[in-house]
Each structure stands twice: as structure tokens, then as C-alpha cells.
Amino acid sequence: MPFIDHDQETAREYLLGKLNDDQQRDFEQRVLVDDEFAEEFEVAKEELVDDYLANQLSGEESEWFRHHFLASPQGKQSLEFATTLHSYVSTNQTKPAKRSRLESLVALLNFQTAPVRAVGAFALVLIVVGVLWFSLSSGPPSYATLTLTNTAATRSAGAATPSIRLEKDILRLTLMLPGPLLVGPHYTAEIKNARGEVKMMEGVSPDGQSVILEIPASELPSGQYAIALYSKSADGSSHRIRDGYQFAVE
Amino acid sequence: MNKDSLTEEALNKLLHWLNPDRDLAGQLYNKVQLRLTRIFNAHGCGDPEKLADETFDRILSKIDWLNENYVGNPMHYLSAVARNIIKEDYRERTAARTLPQPEPVTSDEESDRRYECLDLCMAEFSQDGRRLLIAYFEGQGSEKIANRKKLAAELGVTLRALRLRVFHMKAQLRSCLEICLGKGAEYETL
């Protein structure tokens, strides 16, 4: 039987438990007799694993897939492999060059008709005036930056706790991860001060090697701080990154 | 199939039922065994290979009747038996509340080792091959789909051909990774 595009969708539906009993039986018969279809079945499994890792499945689909294919010996191996591959790919992907603000504005003005171009130019003047007024009245927030290595590394090297004097609006912390991690880009940080008070904060890893946190300086009085970092997996579970991070505000 | 209790006569009958040509029947048997395992995997069965054996055991128990009376494609009968086994296995697992759970992926150390091995295995591809694999996974949602269409157009192939090419590259990579990790088991794509 020749392969048709619909087969790809059918294989996904089968793996996500969306076919009724008769449809499942028909599907299985075809897997047994049709080489091309059997191959599509395997491709669909791997693509669903990719989608699962990328959070592209609905909650219900993820749940089904996790308790069926991913719970099988083949599924566990596939997930393990895909996790490693995704980590490799995200580390080695080239980030697309972003348009500068000026390029975006020029593109915005690249209209086809004169009246629209005139309206666009007027809008641009308004935007420039608005931006100038906003800059003069409030000014952009200022950032202090600090890069922290995992305490496993600093402990063995006997390094002192890094400290910073905060004279800016926001502290941008870069937490270096202990090696390439097989998890997604989202993290939760638990920031604890010397009095044991805890603040939770979301962080993002732009490159798979570090996590960025931005903390308002007003929330960081002088003192010592310890950070525990948790990665968030595609299935919603979290996994603590070993050891942690320390810093002090002068 | 429990090979210890399998007599040569029974095996001959089973192969004959699958296909009168013994060589073709042997190939078909191996292929079906693997595909049944893959079907049982899709349903989260804990021991898919054992269930594939069980499917053939049930066929064997009726092999004389099948050879004399069954008319039609043996695969249809086989898939019906497999379907019953899937349902029975699911009932047993839910009754015993032993629905399998995916295990935590790996420890940090093992993850590092896997990554290092994958890095070595990727080096076995040409630069174009590595670039293709990395580009294939770029983007999310509709952006990813558009990216893949563009990639297929650049290579002058259909989207399905591109998917299959990446699938086979991944199989090759996976096989290399297993060898690098000392597991040695080759990933079959049959």
C-alpha cells in the first residue's frame, strides 16, 4: 500500500491513544505487512518524543505518551537519546541574527503606497518624540552584573564568596551551569538570605551553559545569599542542579 | 516463542503457515517478531519481547487448525492475537496498579558521558550532515515546520524524504552512541 501523508497523522494518533479498537487493529495489521508504514510508525515515535521534550504536546497527550510508549523499554531509550541529542543541538545551533531596532523601523516604513508611507512616517515621528520624552523623564533601568560559578567548583578551588556593591537598579546574575545539562531552558532559583528568608525566581538559560536571573536591587539588602537552582523538565517535574551558588551584597 | 519447547515439526508448521516458501517465511518471522515488539512497546508493555513470544506461542497452540482451515492473510490473525494480548497485559497492569512509569533520565555523570559520546559520534558525519541534523531541529511549532520545508526545498527532496533521512541519521547516531557507552547493542530500524 503506498504511503500517504495521512499515515503520518494516523501513526501519531495511534501513539497518543486517539484511535478506537478497530482503528488500532487496522493500524497494527498494516505495521505487520507494510514495510513503509512500519518505518513511518518508528519515525512517528521519535518525532513524538521530540515534541514531548519540546513541550509541544497537550497535557493530556503528554500524560498518555508518558504512561504508554515512554514507559516501555524502547520508549525509555528513545527519550534518553533524544534528550542528549536536543542538548547537543541547542548547544550547537547558531542563533538567528536579530534585526536591530533601526532595521525594524526601516522595515516598518517599507510600505507600498505613498499615503501609507506618509502615515508611517508620521507614526515614526510620534514614536521618536515619545521615546525621547520617556528617556528624559524616567531613563532605562541600570544593571549591575555578577557571574557565579557552581559551589562545587569554587569549593575545590578554595575561592572566596563573590561580592558586589549595588549602585544600580537591577542585579543581573549569570549562574554558570556545571556542565551541559540535558534539560530545557527554564529554571527556578531559590534565593535564601542569611536570616533564612527565601525568595523564588524564574530564570532562563539562553545558551544551555548558564542561567540568567534579574533581581531588583531593592530586594537585595546587604548580606550573604545562597541560591539553589532547579531545572524544569518537559513533564513539569523539577530537578535540582547539584551544589549551588553563593554571593554577598556589600 | 518459547524456543525450548518448540519442536522442529511445530516450527515447520508455523513457518509454512506464514509462507509456503521456507526462506521467505524465515525472514517474515524475524520481521514480524520485531514489529510485534515495537507494537507492544507503543502500549507501554513492560516486557515487549516476551509478549511477542507469547503471540507466537498462541499461534502455535492452534497451528494444525490454522494450517487446515484459516483462509486469509496470516498477519491479520497475528494482529488479532496481539490485540488480545495488549488488552490482557493492560488489564493485569492496572489490576496490580503497576502501570509503568518512565524512569528519571540519567544522573549528571552519565549525562555528561552521553554528551561526550554523542559529540564523538557527530564527528563521524560530514560537516553537511552535522549541519543538516542541527538545522532540522531549529525552531518551534509553525516556525519549525516552515524551517523543515525550506530545508527540504534546499536539498531538492520531499519533506517525507527529509524526515526519513534524519530518522536514519539518528539511528546511525544512536547505534554509535550505544557502542561508545559500551552497551554495544545496535539500534535496529527494520
Side-chain angles (χ1 to χ4, degrees):
Chain A
M1 198 182 296
F3 179 87
I4 50 172
D5 282 346
H6 179 65
D7 291 341
Q8 185 184 338
E9 192 50 37
T10 309
R12 283 178 74 91
E13 286 174 351
Y14 175 82
L15 287 161
L16 294 173
K18 292 180 176 177
L19 300 185
N20 65 32
D21 205 47
D22 287 345
Q23 290 169 324
Q24 286 187 59
R25 191 199 57 227
D26 292 346
F27 181 91
E28 286 153 3
Q29 278 177 9
R30 251 190 102 186
V31 168
L32 291 179
V33 299
D34 184 336
D35 290 353
E36 216 174 345
F37 193 69
E39 188 172 49
E40 181 56 40
F41 182 37
E42 297 309 308
V43 175
K45 283 177 184 173
E46 301 221 343
E47 289 182 343
L48 275 173
V49 172
D50 292 334
D51 289 350
Y52 174 82
L53 279 175
N55 270 327
Q56 296 286 299
L57 302 180
S58 70
E60 204 177 316
E61 288 171 340
S62 280
E63 186 72 2
W64 176 275
F65 197 54
R66 204 156 61 88
H67 287 105
H68 288 82
F69 179 61
L70 291 182
S72 72
Q74 187 193 4
K76 286 171 188 166
Q77 284 175 8
S78 291
L79 183 62
E80 215 169 52
F81 172 74
T83 308
T84 311
L85 182 62
H86 281 221
S87 173
Y88 179 91
V89 166
S90 63
T91 305
N92 289 279
Q93 263 170 358
T94 49
K95 304 280 181 295
K98 281 190 174 174
R99 273 179 174 174
S100 69
R101 284 194 180 88
L102 183 62
E103 283 171 332
S104 300
L105 282 171
V106 168
L108 192 71
L109 284 174
N110 191 20
F111 297 117
Q112 300 302 310
T113 62
V116 177
R117 205 160 33 233
V119 171
F122 181 67
L124 177 62
V125 170
L126 281 181
I127 290 168
V128 170
V129 169
V131 166
L132 277 174
W133 177 81
F134 184 76
S135 310
L136 292 172
S137 60
S138 62
S142 58
Y143 287 85
T145 58
L146 184 62
T147 300
L148 303 177
T149 48
N150 193 273
T151 49
T154 51
R155 194 171 49 230
S156 57
T161 303
S163 65
I164 189 166
R165 183 185 295 275
L166 276 183
E167 291 166 343
K168 308 281 185 185
D169 299 325
I170 293 170
L171 173 60
R172 179 179 284 153
L173 281 177
T174 303
L175 310 179
M176 300 308 294
L177 293 168
L181 297 176
L182 308 184
V183 289
H186 301 290
Y187 291 80
T188 301
E190 185 186 277
I191 306 164
K192 191 187 279 188
N193 66 19
R195 291 191 300 278
E197 292 164 346
V198 173
K199 179 177 175 53
M200 303 301 286
M201 177 154 238
E202 300 298 308
V204 175
S205 174
D207 53 7
Q209 295 174 358
S210 61
V211 174
I212 308 291
L213 297 178
E214 291 189 351
I215 314 169
S218 58
E219 296 180 17
L220 290 171
S222 299
Q224 298 268 344
Y225 292 87
I227 301 176
L229 195 61
Y230 298 84
S231 64
K232 289 197 282 191
S233 302
D235 62 4
S237 62
S238 53
H239 164 76
R240 182 170 175 170
I241 307 297
R242 66 171 184 254
D243 295 296
Y245 302 85
Q246 290 180 353
F247 71 102
V249 175
E250 292 173 13
Chain B
M1 187 159 53
N2 186 345
K3 292 177 180 68
D4 294 336
S5 62
L6 182 65
T7 64
E8 193 179 338
E9 186 190 0
L11 177 65
N12 286 337
K13 285 178 181 174
L14 174 67
L15 292 177
H16 181 265
W17 180 68
L18 288 174
N19 194 309
D21 181 318
R22 196 183 161 88
D23 288 342
L24 288 179
Q27 289 169 20
L28 189 57
Y29 173 83
N30 288 330
K31 189 190 278 190
V32 169
Q33 172 88 3
L34 181 61
R35 289 188 188 168
L36 283 172
T37 306
R38 294 286 162 83
I39 287 170
F40 291 127
N41 269 296
H43 290 272
C45 301
D47 195 345
E49 285 170 12
K50 189 178 154 200
L51 296 183
D53 285 346
E54 171 69 18
T55 310
F56 279 113
D57 282 344
R58 292 192 189 184
I59 300 285
L60 271 172
S61 71
K62 293 183 176 171
I63 196 65
D64 287 331
W65 182 88
L66 287 169
N67 267 319
E68 284 173 26
N69 301 296
Y70 184 77
V71 179
N73 189 333
M75 294 307 120
H76 293 184
Y77 191 85
L78 259 163
S79 64
V81 174
R83 184 110 289 273
N84 286 335
I85 291 176
I86 288 165
K87 288 179 187 171
E88 288 167 20
D89 182 74
Y90 185 75
R91 272 199 298 272
E92 279 169 25
R93 280 186 284 136
T94 45
R97 295 186 184 280
T98 55
L99 270 177
Q101 297 285 333
E103 290 164 0
V105 175
T106 41
S107 65
D108 288 344
E109 291 75 19
E110 200 186 332
S111 298
D112 291 351
R113 175 86 185 110
R114 291 182 71 82
Y115 190 92
E116 284 163 15
C117 274
L118 189 78
D119 204 15
L120 289 173
C121 291
M122 285 292 281
E124 290 189 7
F125 288 125
S126 66
Q127 199 179 352
D128 284 348
R130 283 197 298 276
R131 206 176 289 146
L132 168 66
L133 205 53
I134 290 167
Y136 186 79
F137 288 101
E138 270 178 11
Q140 294 277 329
S142 58
E143 186 193 352
K144 182 177 76 180
I145 294 165
N147 172 53
R148 289 181 182 179
K149 281 181 182 166
K150 190 176 152 211
L151 207 54
E154 280 169 10
L155 293 167
V157 298
T158 63
L159 196 54
R160 173 166 157 75
L162 175 66
R163 289 170 66 234
L164 289 178
R165 187 181 294 187
V166 169
F167 173 71
H168 288 294
M169 286 176 78
K170 282 167 72 181
Q172 194 182 332
L173 203 53
R174 197 157 153 177
S175 183
C176 170
L177 184 66
E178 298 297 302
I179 292 166
C180 175
L181 290 167
K183 294 180 182 172
E186 298 228 347
Y187 179 69
E188 295 167 276
T189 58
L190 183 67

